[in-house]
């Protein structure tokens, strides 16, 4: 019982321990060899076949983080393939949504063109103004008398905006043909712009707002006017090419722009 509780090698001289340990190791190897021979004689080759297959299938595989590991190439990248498939599905979904949005935009543009959008329309009188502007969701009307120095510049800027913003109906009505409108609205001066939503006037932009940061003859005026109409709800977006800080690009003092009081 005493010897069973003590490691036999602890009682061997330290100088002779390596010899006895080597003998024990050789005995263990002989036992393993004999066990393998017994399996071969009995026809049990399953472990040998499995070990050979694992050794054959294990190869150096490149991991996603850039490292290298020994693994089965048929299964090592299964997770990566799933992630790639997911990324491709997400990309396809994004492209499909972009195509659908573009098709919807083209459909809207075709509808707006049929309604007469795309240019600054000259109105004959207030009756035509009511008939034309009523069916449109967004409307922008320029009211001027043709005599203010800035009137032609504002008209030209609106005509250019009408071509790039099909979502709104742009029109012009001479002040001498807008008797009812000029008496119902207290005008600061001319030219003036009215923003309409489904035929109803929602905003009035007097000359002091139109020329607050840029005169009508300034190359910055079109961009300033576009942002002003966008903030008023008349336009859906603003051209990315125009400076978002155009109001501060010129002298920040208000410009009168050659407008005339009425």
């Amino acid at each position: 019982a005493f010897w069973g509780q003590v490691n036999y090698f602890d009682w061997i001289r330290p100088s002779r321990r390596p010899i006895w340990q080597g003998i024990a190791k050789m005995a263990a190897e002989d036992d393993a060899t004999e066990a393998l021979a017994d399996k071969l004689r009995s026809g049990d080759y399953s472990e040998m076949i499995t070990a050979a297959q694992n050794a054959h299938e294990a190869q150096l595989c490149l991991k996603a983080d850039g490292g290298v590991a020994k693994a089965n190439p048929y299964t090592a990248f299964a997770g990566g393939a799933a992630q790639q498939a997911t990324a491709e599905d997400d990309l396809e979904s994004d492209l499909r949504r972009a195509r659908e949005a573009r098709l919807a935009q083209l459909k809207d543009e075709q509808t707006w063109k049929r309604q007469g959008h795309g240019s600054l329309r000259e109105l004959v009188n207030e009756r035509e103004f009511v008939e034309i502007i009523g069916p449109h969701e967004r409307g922008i009307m320029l009211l001027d008398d043709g005599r203010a120095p800035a009137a032609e510049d504002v008209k030209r800027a609106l005509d250019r905006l009408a071509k790039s913003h099909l979502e709104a109906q742009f029109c012009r009505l001479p002040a001498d043909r807008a008797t009812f409108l000029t008496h119902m609205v207290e005008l600061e001066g001319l030219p003036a712009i009215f923003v309409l939503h489904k035929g109803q006037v929602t905003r009035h932009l007097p000359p002091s707002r139109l020329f607050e940061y840029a005169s009508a003859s300034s190359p910055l005026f079109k961009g300033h006017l576009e942002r002003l109409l966008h903030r008023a709800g008349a336009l859906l977006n603003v051209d990315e090419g125009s400076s978002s800080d155009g109001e501060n690009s010129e002298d920040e003092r208000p410009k009168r722009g050659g407008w005339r009081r009425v």
Side-chain angles (χ1 to χ4, degrees):
F2 174 77
W3 287 104
Q5 299 175 1
V6 179
N7 188 344
Y8 177 71
F9 290 106
D10 293 339
W11 294 88
I12 300 176
R13 295 181 185 178
S15 61
R16 294 186 178 182
R17 285 179 186 176
I19 298 176
W20 286 100
Q21 290 174 349
I23 294 173
K25 183 177 180 181
M26 291 174 61
E29 291 177 353
D30 290 340
D31 292 341
T33 302
E34 186 176 354
L36 178 60
D38 292 340
K39 289 183 179 180
L40 293 176
R41 284 193 293 269
S42 64
D44 186 6
Y45 303 107
S46 58
E47 290 187 8
M48 287 187 60
I49 295 174
T50 301
Q53 287 179 342
N54 292 337
H56 176 71
E57 293 175 354
Q59 299 179 15
L60 294 178
C61 300
L62 182 64
K63 298 190 295 185
D65 58 0
V68 177
K70 195 171 184 180
N72 186 346
Y74 296 102
T75 59
F77 304 105
Q83 294 177 359
Q84 182 179 0
T86 302
E88 292 177 354
D89 292 342
D90 293 341
L91 178 60
E92 183 63 27
S93 299
D94 293 340
L95 292 175
R96 183 173 61 254
R97 285 193 293 269
R99 287 194 295 267
E100 293 174 353
R102 179 55 180 163
L103 289 175
Q105 180 183 2
L106 291 174
K107 184 178 179 180
D108 290 338
E109 290 179 355
Q110 293 174 356
T111 302
W112 292 330
K113 288 180 179 179
R114 287 195 298 267
Q115 293 176 343
H117 295 201
S119 62
L120 182 64
R121 185 167 183 170
E122 296 283 347
L123 302 178
V124 177
N125 50 41
E126 289 178 317
R127 180 177 179 180
E128 185 181 14
F129 163 71
V130 174
E131 293 175 352
I132 294 299
I133 210 68
H136 302 276
E137 184 176 358
R138 302 174 188 83
I140 299 170
M141 189 197 72
L142 170 65
L143 183 68
D144 68 65
D145 56 7
R147 291 180 290 173
E152 192 63 28
D153 292 327
V154 176
K155 177 182 175 181
R156 186 161 43 249
L158 286 176
D159 188 47
R160 292 172 59 191
L161 289 175
K163 291 178 173 59
S164 58
H165 289 280
L166 299 178
E167 69 271 21
Q169 172 69 67
F170 289 74
C171 56
R172 173 183 175 269
L173 180 64
D176 58 356
R177 301 177 186 176
T179 306
F180 178 78
L181 184 61
T182 54
H183 283 80
M184 290 296 296
V185 179
E186 184 177 353
L187 296 175
E188 174 189 288
L190 296 174
I193 292 179
F194 292 89
V195 176
L196 301 99
H197 180 71
K198 296 182 179 179
Q200 301 294 321
V201 176
T202 57
R203 294 290 299 273
H204 166 221
L205 303 176
S208 60
R209 292 295 311 279
L210 297 178
F211 312 121
E212 184 175 5
Y213 297 105
S215 62
S217 59
S218 169
L220 301 175
F221 175 71
K222 174 180 171 291
H224 163 66
L225 181 59
E226 182 181 27
R227 291 187 293 275
L228 183 62
L229 293 173
H230 178 255
R231 289 195 296 268
L235 304 179
L236 291 178
N237 51 60
V238 177
D239 183 10
E240 296 295 336
S242 61
S243 172
S244 60
D245 297 323
E247 292 87 349
N248 299 325
S249 300
E250 220 179 51
D251 185 2
E252 294 185 356
R253 293 173 300 177
K255 309 292 183 179
R256 295 185 66 86
W259 56 277
R260 187 179 66 83
R261 292 187 179 276
V262 294

